[in-house]
Amino acid sequence: MLQIKNLSVTLKKDLRDIIGDFSFVLNDGDVAVIIGEEGNGKSTLLKLIYEPQLADAYCEWSGEIVTHGTRLGYLAQELGEDEKALAIADFFAAVSDFYDTSPKELARLCKQLGLATETPFSEQIVGTLSGGERVKLQLLRILIAQPDVLLLDEPSNDIDLATLEWLERFINTCGKPVLFVSHDETLIENTANVIIHLEQVRRKTVPRAKVVRSSYGDYISARTRALDKQTQDARKEKSEYDAKMEKYRRIEQSVEHKQGAISRQDPAGGRLLKKKMHAVKSMGRRIERDAEEMTQLPDVEDAIFLKFDKRLMVPNGKTVIEFELAELRSGGEERAVLARDVALIVTGAEKVCITGRNGSGKTTLLREIAVQLLARDDIRCGYMPQDYFELLPPNATPVEFLAPSGKHADVTAAMTMLGSVKYTADEMAHTISALSGGQKAKLMFLKMISDGCNVLVLDEPTRNFSPMSNPVIRAILREYGGAIISVSHDRRFIAEVCDTVYELQESGLALLRTV
């Protein structure tokens, strides 16, 4: 059993509370998902449970985390640079149970994850693998260690559709308590039976946590109904209050007018008006007392607001790209060929998604496509790489990145844009390296919006957005008037945004679906 008692967490950099007096018990049979907007402490919570030292550099905490000797298996959202530098064999040798695992069991686990049997003994450097392959390595290492409780931070990031479906089955059948963070709404809906919702309300000044034992779909439906009812009740009561106050003010003004006009020769009338004014004042105080019990408008995190200019579009007949590549190689000519005869034609405002197994070369292909499109002067291309630091300067602030000129007007515009996606003033002044993955993703979108891009090349665009933000992102991209070429394993994104879907195979791009 895992128990959290009165946990409070404060960020050292800006002294902002991100978790306040949070208590929770993870029981046998629980599959609990932590949801909430970017930067609300989801990953921090998992780190504190697994190994508090992982979060010591940037936060302080109080409360109690009780594990009762429970063996924890932790999947980090991103491997550290030291682990990326290891050979795969050394990566697994660090697990004490690795050499106690029978070859048969190891082969079984590798097969489940779509890994070659010899993978754990490879001398290939971990950092040269694709993002999805690195997630699979972490999952394999966790399974070898046979933990009692699984702590998974974005386990669905970058893994291919086949492994994603395996992950769903595994979470549902492993028989272990699971506490996880994920952006993938389908994964959450198909697995979670406990919802932990971390929020930052009152302009990110007050943390709030809610624990509900239900499915995600039921939680969102019930929450939406409750918020709608609360909003309706609050507006109705406010309207009734305004009507009462208007009536009160008219009566008060009428009595005041009569008091001012009454003759001193009519003391009896004056006493009556004074008594009437006393009654009127009593009515006003009663209305104010009743107002204290009025239903308030819901205090919740507002949805992020992103919007591309509607004038950004690509004419229907325009060829965005006519891409041909005889051989797709990973990392240069010295590496093995991943695919041959790769051809892609995109026209007009087509929205293309490229899928495929992990390690098939999707990110490499997208990078090649981006290089061609970024060099063009007849279109304006925006590129969102899987590794944001390919484009984001880690030591710059978000404002400096969006307004490199430093001009007052540009800085003001940048701060307004950042505010629209719920950056606080402190977060605008942080270095980009200190931001969460979701905050970096927002920054990439803001840059593409401010640059007026009419073609977007997006590598896993939804991977770091919360389940609460992703519906907004999908709607924005669905309504976008330009062309999109993307790589994604997000089933909702593929279904709702993309009208043409390809699978990258060794023989090239195979068309799976077109509208």
Side-chain angles (χ1 to χ4, degrees):
M1 183 180 72
L2 171 67
Q3 186 173 11
I4 300 170
K5 299 180 180 179
N6 308 114
L7 178 68
S8 294
V9 181
T10 302
L11 296 178
K12 291 180 178 179
K13 194 173 185 69
D14 53 20
L15 300 180
R16 180 165 63 90
D17 297 328
I18 55 173
I19 298 175
D21 198 27
F22 172 65
S23 297
F24 171 69
V25 177
L26 186 72
N27 296 309
D28 290 341
D30 284 348
V31 178
V33 63
I34 309 169
I35 64 171
E37 292 300 337
E38 296 74 26
N40 279 8
K42 302 183 296 294
S43 295
T44 298
L45 178 56
L46 289 184
K47 289 177 182 177
L48 290 174
I49 294 170
Y50 178 67
E51 189 176 317
Q53 292 84 353
L54 294 174
D56 277 350
Y58 65 89
C59 76
E60 295 177 342
W61 65 281
S62 63
E64 190 175 0
I65 299 173
V66 183
T67 59
H68 298 296
T70 301
R71 195 172 190 181
L72 303 174
Y74 173 63
L75 184 145
Q77 188 175 133
E78 185 58 66
L79 287 173
E81 294 303 318
D82 53 341
E83 290 184 302
K84 288 181 183 178
L86 293 173
I88 295 175
D90 294 330
F91 180 77
F92 284 99
V95 182
S96 58
D97 300 88
F98 177 63
Y99 292 107
D100 295 330
T101 306
S102 69
K104 183 177 180 180
E105 175 64 9
L106 196 58
R108 184 185 70 82
L109 293 173
C110 286
K111 183 178 180 180
Q112 280 186 334
L113 287 164
L115 295 170
T117 305
E118 63 273 12
T119 296
F121 307 98
S122 170
E123 291 301 315
Q124 185 175 353
I125 301 301
V126 171
T128 64
L129 299 172
S130 71
E133 289 174 313
R134 292 200 294 268
V135 171
K136 288 181 178 181
L137 288 192
Q138 287 194 78
L139 286 170
L140 178 58
R141 192 165 71 169
I142 289 169
L143 295 178
I144 288 171
Q146 298 182 334
D148 303 311
V149 172
L150 296 174
L151 307 174
L152 309 177
D153 195 354
E154 296 286 5
S156 56
N157 266 6
D158 307 324
I159 60 176
D160 54 42
L161 291 173
T163 307
L164 188 54
E165 291 169 357
W166 170 86
L167 178 63
E168 286 183 2
R169 293 192 299 271
F170 171 75
I171 289 175
N172 286 328
T173 61
C174 69
K176 304 176 189 294
V178 180
L179 180 61
F180 74 106
V181 174
S182 178
H183 73 274
D184 191 310
E185 293 153 87
T186 306
L187 174 68
I188 295 171
E189 287 180 350
N190 291 346
T191 59
N193 56 24
V194 181
I195 311 299
I196 301 172
H197 190 176
L198 302 182
E199 291 186 276
Q200 295 281 312
V201 296
R202 299 182 194 173
R203 298 189 178 182
K204 288 193 174 183
T205 60
V206 177
R208 184 170 67 190
K210 181 182 292 185
V211 178
V212 178
R213 294 186 175 273
S214 79
S215 68
Y216 179 71
D218 287 346
Y219 171 70
I220 293 298
S221 296
R223 182 174 187 266
T224 300
R225 288 195 301 271
L227 292 177
D228 287 346
K229 184 178 185 307
Q230 185 179 346
T231 300
Q232 290 173 4
D233 289 347
R235 288 174 176 168
K236 180 182 177 183
E237 292 172 21
K238 178 65 165 56
S239 177
E240 292 172 350
Y241 167 79
D242 290 342
K244 289 178 181 178
M245 288 300 294
E246 178 62 27
K247 181 179 179 181
Y248 161 73
R249 282 190 289 266
R250 286 200 308 268
I251 295 173
E252 182 185 40
Q253 289 170 2
S254 174
V255 175
E256 284 180 346
H257 177 72
K258 289 178 180 178
Q259 282 181 323
I262 195 167
S263 168
R264 292 185 180 181
Q265 279 72 38
D266 186 9
R271 286 193 297 272
L272 284 174
L273 287 173
K274 186 175 183 181
K275 187 175 181 180
K276 188 171 184 179
M277 179 57 79
H278 180 74
V280 171
K281 293 293 186 183
S282 295
M283 180 177 71
R285 289 191 293 270
R286 188 168 60 253
I287 294 172
E288 291 297 339
R289 284 197 302 270
D290 291 344
E292 294 176 3
E293 304 300 322
M294 282 170 49
T295 302
Q296 300 299 307
L297 286 170
D299 186 4
V300 296
E301 288 186 310
D302 295 328
I304 60 173
F305 180 79
L306 285 168
K307 188 177 181 181
F308 283 92
D309 193 320
K310 289 185 178 180
R311 292 170 295 181
L312 293 173
M313 57 180 61
V314 176
N316 288 335
K318 182 177 178 62
T319 299
V320 175
I321 192 168
E322 222 170 321
F323 181 87
E324 292 185 357
L325 191 64
E327 292 182 341
L328 176 66
R329 295 175 179 267
S330 178
E333 292 295 321
E334 74 280 1
R335 302 299 299 279
V337 175
L338 298 172
R340 299 181 187 278
D341 301 322
V342 180
L344 176 68
I345 298 175
V346 178
T347 59
E350 193 174 1
K351 295 176 174 59
V352 173
C353 182
I354 300 170
T355 67
R357 61 177 176 78
N358 290 132
S360 60
K362 301 183 297 298
T363 290
T364 302
L365 172 59
L366 204 67
R367 193 179 289 119
E368 295 272 359
I369 291 170
V371 167
Q372 285 196 18
L373 291 174
L374 288 167
R376 297 255 296 274
D377 55 13
D378 62 321
I379 59 173
R380 192 156 185 85
C381 174
Y383 175 43
M384 183 180 189
Q386 191 177 113
D387 180 357
Y388 302 141
F389 287 122
E390 285 185 32
L391 297 179
L392 291 178
N395 296 321
T397 68
V399 174
E400 290 168 343
F401 175 68
L402 293 176
S405 70
K407 295 179 180 177
H408 179 72
D410 293 343
V411 169
T412 300
M415 294 178 72
T416 300
M417 293 181 74
L418 290 164
S420 73
V421 293
K422 297 191 293 189
Y423 269 73
T424 65
D426 286 326
E427 288 168 340
M428 294 180 196
H430 290 176
T431 60
I432 292 173
S433 61
L435 301 176
S436 70
Q439 289 169 317
K440 296 186 188 91
K442 289 177 181 178
L443 195 56
M444 298 296 296
F445 268 98
L446 291 178
K447 178 64 173 172
M448 292 186 287
I449 289 171
S450 64
D451 285 349
C453 298
N454 62 350
V455 176
L456 306 181
V457 180
L458 310 174
D459 197 346
E460 295 286 358
T462 61
R463 66 192 290 264
N464 280 313
F465 285 106
S466 76
M468 317 300 284
S469 294
N470 260 328
V472 179
I473 297 299
R474 291 196 299 269
I476 291 164
L477 294 178
R478 185 169 58 245
E479 296 165 6
Y480 173 63
I484 297 175
I485 305 172
S486 64
V487 164
S488 181
H489 301 117
D490 184 332
R491 289 164 284 187
R492 291 263 178 113
F493 171 82
I494 295 171
E496 295 180 19
V497 176
C498 306
D499 44 47
T500 308
V501 182
Y502 296 94
E503 181 180 11
L504 181 58
Q505 303 174 350
E506 291 182 2
S507 57
L509 287 171
L511 180 64
L512 298 183
R513 191 195 82 203
T514 186
V515 176

